[in-house]
Amino acid sequence: MQVDVAIYMEPMLFSRNPEFLAGSGGDVLNSEYINDEKLALHLLFDQDLPKEYIVWSDFFAEITSELLLNALYKESQDAIKYQMMISKGDALKENIRKRKAYLLKKKMGLAENKRYEDFISEVSDEAIYMLSMIATQRYINGVILGSPLEKLYEIFKTGCIPCGVKKNKDIVVFNPAVLK
């Protein structure tokens, strides 16, 4: 299946959007929210969790394993990497994007907020990896409405980050806006 570049690259390009991990003003997608960034980090990265949770890395590996084994996986990674390189090529656009992101975060009370910056520093690589797997799924299979990866993307588009999963597969979300 050949998918349009704009469709499969949308999640990766969102990582450059000022709203990426900027938080949200309200509840998102009827998800369970937590307000403690330490708990969010614990659920996202640790193995020793409260009994009602599944280890995030195990959950994410389960929903992406078919993609990793797909014959088009390497091709998808090369295409995504190439498109990201092309999109970053214009230095003026990149500077404007960074300034816009800074101004949005300043308006939200997050610019120059050490607590927020520390949290983003901790989670941004993991969040970008999640977005890359969403782009990979789109490259290989197109947009699969209702898939777990598309649900994660819906959470990201609200400025929040999925950070945990309960045993019943309900996603737990952290809203970085609580850090202001």
Side-chain angles (χ1 to χ4, degrees), residues 114-125:
K114 181 158 175 39
R115 192 170 154 209
Y116 171 77
E117 292 298 326
D118 288 349
F119 179 80
I120 297 306
S121 176
E122 287 278 333
V123 301
S124 62
D125 286 346

Side-chain angles (χ1 to χ4, degrees), residues 40-107:
L41 292 170
H42 181 64
L43 293 175
L44 192 57
F45 295 115
D46 294 341
Q47 301 280 318
D48 183 27
L49 302 175
K51 64 182 178 185
E52 67 267 21
Y53 293 99
I54 297 172
V55 174
W56 181 261
S57 60
D58 294 345
F59 168 75
F60 200 74
E62 180 184 316
I63 65 174
T64 59
S65 61
E66 283 185 30
L67 297 174
L68 298 171
L69 299 173
N70 191 293
L72 293 174
Y73 177 75
K74 182 175 178 355
E75 179 183 313
S76 71
Q77 297 307 290
D78 291 342
I80 291 166
K81 187 173 165 185
Y82 176 73
Q83 290 299 323
M84 287 301 284
M85 189 175 60
I86 288 174
S87 71
K88 204 170 189 178
D90 188 343
L92 179 61
K93 282 184 185 175
E94 187 67 14
N95 287 338
I96 291 169
R97 182 197 66 77
K98 286 180 181 177
R99 180 70 179 157
K100 186 177 176 184
Y102 172 78
L103 291 173
L104 176 70
K105 287 176 176 49
K106 184 175 181 179
K107 180 179 177 182

Side-chain angles (χ1 to χ4, degrees), residues 122-134:
E122 287 278 333
V123 301
S124 62
D125 286 346
E126 185 68 19
I128 291 170
Y129 175 69
M130 288 183 230
L131 291 172
S132 77
M133 293 310 289
I134 297 163

Side-chain angles (χ1 to χ4, degrees), residues 104-163:
L104 176 70
K105 287 176 176 49
K106 184 175 181 179
K107 180 179 177 182
M108 294 179 67
L110 296 171
E112 300 167 9
N113 177 329
K114 181 158 175 39
R115 192 170 154 209
Y116 171 77
E117 292 298 326
D118 288 349
F119 179 80
I120 297 306
S121 176
E122 287 278 333
V123 301
S124 62
D125 286 346
E126 185 68 19
I128 291 170
Y129 175 69
M130 288 183 230
L131 291 172
S132 77
M133 293 310 289
I134 297 163
T136 301
Q137 174 180 269
R138 287 179 170 201
Y139 183 93
I140 294 171
N141 300 316
V143 176
I144 302 173
L145 297 176
S147 73
L149 288 171
E150 289 296 333
K151 289 178 184 175
L152 296 180
Y153 185 48
E154 290 301 315
I155 293 168
F156 277 114
K157 288 193 304 186
T158 66
C160 297
I161 182 168
C163 61

